[in-house]
Amino acid sequence: GTQPPIFCVHGGAGAILNLQPLARRLGEDQPFYGLQSKGLYGGLASPKTVEEMATHYLSEMRQVHPGGPWRLAGYCFRTLVAFEMARRLVAEDEDVELAVMFNGPSPSWIKKWGWYGNQPSKRAGRPARVKLTRQQRVVRKMNQFGTRFQGALREPKRFRSALVWHARHAGGVRRVRLALALGRPLPEQLREEYFLHLHAQAERAYEPRQYAGDLVVFYGEGLYEEPELGWGGLAAGGITSYAVPGDHDNNRQVIDRKSTRLNSSH
């Protein structure tokens, strides 16, 4: 195609094949690159912070598109990486003509609502979260342990099932780390869990600085209650948000929709 390419950062699981419907929908004249998580199929160590991911992806992008204008996008919780990349490019006086967030909440939103399962529209009827002191958290954990221990005494088989679960979890982490160290492919059944955990840690540690440009936010209609998904105040150029119509019960559906009708809010 003849248009400047769009570079879209993967979701939490690290893969990009789910971006194919969106790429095809944009037409043959629009080049579209999916930025896949480094080390997803083994052989390479994966970046562990949003900043490290942004540095790696910017380097990869320049190999196929040496200079601007830049068109960037991020899907789900990797919009943080796309945001950091756009911020750096503008800070270096490069032209970012498009920065798009697909169902990707801001860091402040994640810290506030992520514990609800990442869908605030599903929180109806749940009790408000109470912030506990460190001592209160310790006491609560001890009480929870005591309750579970008493239950396990009544049902000894729960000891065995708990031991099996913990052994599999610990063993799975060791297998992933060993595969990465030896340059071997990751076990498929462990790959998604490993990268979801890795990226969740990165997103919660990220502290964004203001972006001098503007953002475009697409979100599933009814999936999020706040059209800007918490990005307000982080984009000096302003935010335009679009509700993708339909019945959404997960983040992925926003890029699978065939409908072209969009509800815009500014």
Side-chain angles (χ1 to χ4, degrees):
T2 62
Q3 297 294 317
I6 293 176
F7 296 91
C8 188
V9 185
H10 57 82
I16 59 172
L17 292 180
N18 62 298
L19 300 176
Q20 187 182 88
L22 172 63
R24 293 189 180 280
R25 186 70 173 173
L26 293 173
E28 295 182 358
D29 198 40
Q30 176 60 67
F32 186 95
Y33 289 88
L35 294 168
Q36 184 169 272
S37 186
K38 183 180 179 182
L40 185 66
Y41 296 107
L44 297 168
S46 304
K48 291 182 172 55
T49 67
V50 167
E51 291 82 359
E52 290 174 354
M53 294 174 197
T55 297
H56 172 64
Y57 293 145
L58 284 171
S59 175
E60 295 291 299
M61 288 161 48
R62 293 187 190 281
Q63 294 186 36
V64 295
H65 189 62
W70 297 99
R71 296 178 176 181
L72 306 177
Y75 162 64
C76 198
F77 291 95
R78 293 292 73 70
T79 52
L80 278 62
V81 181
F83 176 85
E84 175 64 16
M85 290 158 56
R87 188 196 66 76
R88 291 189 191 184
L89 288 168
V90 169
E92 295 170 4
D93 295 324
E94 296 203 46
D95 179 17
V96 176
E97 64 178 18
L98 187 65
V100 180
M101 315 281 102
F102 289 107
N103 266 351
S106 73
S108 61
W109 188 100
I110 293 171
K111 291 175 182 176
K112 184 176 181 180
W113 300 117
W115 69 286
Y116 274 117
N118 304 328
Q119 310 298 350
S121 59
K122 308 290 187 183
R123 70 178 184 265
R126 297 191 184 186
R129 187 182 190 186
V130 179
K131 190 172 183 179
L132 302 177
T133 65
R134 185 166 181 251
Q135 183 178 4
Q136 289 173 324
R137 290 197 300 270
V138 171
V139 171
R140 185 174 68 174
K141 287 183 178 180
M142 291 178 65
N143 290 336
Q144 290 173 342
F145 176 80
T147 300
R148 292 173 181 172
F149 185 77
Q150 290 176 6
L153 288 177
R154 293 191 296 268
E155 301 179 65
K157 64 180 182 180
R158 293 177 63 179
F159 274 120
R160 294 193 297 272
S161 61
L163 286 173
V164 169
W165 186 90
H166 284 290
R168 286 179 178 173
H169 178 73
V173 172
R174 286 196 295 270
R175 287 172 62 192
V176 169
R177 290 174 178 170
L178 181 61
L180 289 173
L182 298 177
R184 295 176 179 173
L186 298 180
E188 183 177 356
Q189 63 188 39
L190 301 174
R191 184 174 62 230
E192 182 171 313
E193 180 182 348
Y194 175 79
F195 278 94
L196 285 172
H197 177 70
L198 178 71
H199 294 149
Q201 288 184 315
E203 71 191 12
R204 292 185 180 278
Y206 179 55
E207 296 292 341
R209 287 179 283 175
Q210 190 177 55
Y211 167 53
D214 56 82
L215 295 177
V216 179
V217 175
F218 290 91
Y219 67 97
E221 189 175 57
L223 188 60
Y224 291 96
E225 296 175 350
E226 182 185 351
E228 294 185 351
L229 274 62
W231 291 104
L234 285 173
I239 298 173
T240 303
S241 61
Y242 296 91
V244 180
D247 296 324
H248 297 258
D249 57 20
N250 62 63
N251 280 333
R252 179 167 294 191
Q253 291 169 335
V254 75
I255 53 176
D256 289 339
R257 294 294 174 188
K258 296 181 179 180
S259 172
T260 57
R261 178 180 62 85
L262 294 173
N263 302 319
S264 172
S265 62
H266 299 270

